Amino acid sequence: MKRIYKKICLLILSLTLIFTLTPFAMAETPVHDYDTSWAKVTIEQAIASGIAQGYPDGSFKPDNPITRAEFFEWVNQIYSFTNESTKTYTDVPSSTWYAPVIAKATAAGYVFGYPNGTINPEGQITRQEAAV
């Protein structure tokens, strides 16, 4: 009886060690906050083609206005712009996600910034600005 008890304890201990050392891949369910949006099909096509990826948490936020930096990111992706300008803007800290995005947009020549040396990356882009 003592021998069986030792084997059971050894088995439990072994399984415990195996399960604690084995990393479990837990896939996070993507947030499809665009499922009820009028633009669902277009959004899914943009994601499938690689033009748009959504936010890091998997959401897309289809009802939010588009910022200038987000628009620049899309244009850069669509046209595969990779060269970066060394020009800086006073409202673009180098530590932000959009600093390289704006550097690419500036190098591509479709972004110039404002006369005061800013570019307003977190501001909403207007239709007029997008068209220009």
Side-chain angles (χ1 to χ4, degrees):
M1 186 71 168
K2 207 174 197 182
R3 189 176 190 142
I4 293 174
Y5 179 73
K6 282 184 178 183
K7 285 184 179 184
I8 291 172
C9 287
L10 185 60
L11 178 65
I12 291 171
L13 180 61
S14 297
L15 290 174
T16 304
L17 285 172
I18 289 171
F19 286 124
T20 58
L21 296 175
T22 305
F24 291 98
M26 305 219 17
E28 191 173 309
T29 305
V31 179
H32 290 158
D33 57 349
Y34 54 85
D35 281 340
T36 58
S37 172
W38 62 270
K40 178 183 178 183
V41 173
T42 305
I43 291 168
E44 288 176 338
Q45 290 171 343
I47 291 170
S49 69
I51 295 172
Q53 291 132 3
Y55 291 89
D57 67 355
S59 65
F60 202 83
K61 302 177 184 174
D63 296 323
N64 283 11
I66 297 171
T67 67
R68 293 169 51 83
E70 290 168 339
F71 180 79
F72 301 155
E73 174 69 4
W74 285 347
V75 173
N76 291 346
Q77 287 179 1
I78 290 168
Y79 292 103
S80 301
F81 293 136
T82 56
N83 294 335
E84 293 186 14
S85 171
T86 57
K87 182 177 179 177
T88 59
Y89 299 96
T90 58
D91 58 346
V92 181
S94 61
S95 60
T96 59
W97 70 268
Y98 50 77
V101 169
I102 291 171
K104 290 174 189 174
T106 302
Y110 70 92
V111 169
F112 305 103
Y114 297 109
N116 65 356
T118 64
I119 198 155
N120 192 20
E122 296 180 18
Q124 294 178 20
I125 191 161
T126 66
R127 290 181 182 180
Q128 178 184 359
E129 290 170 331
V132 170

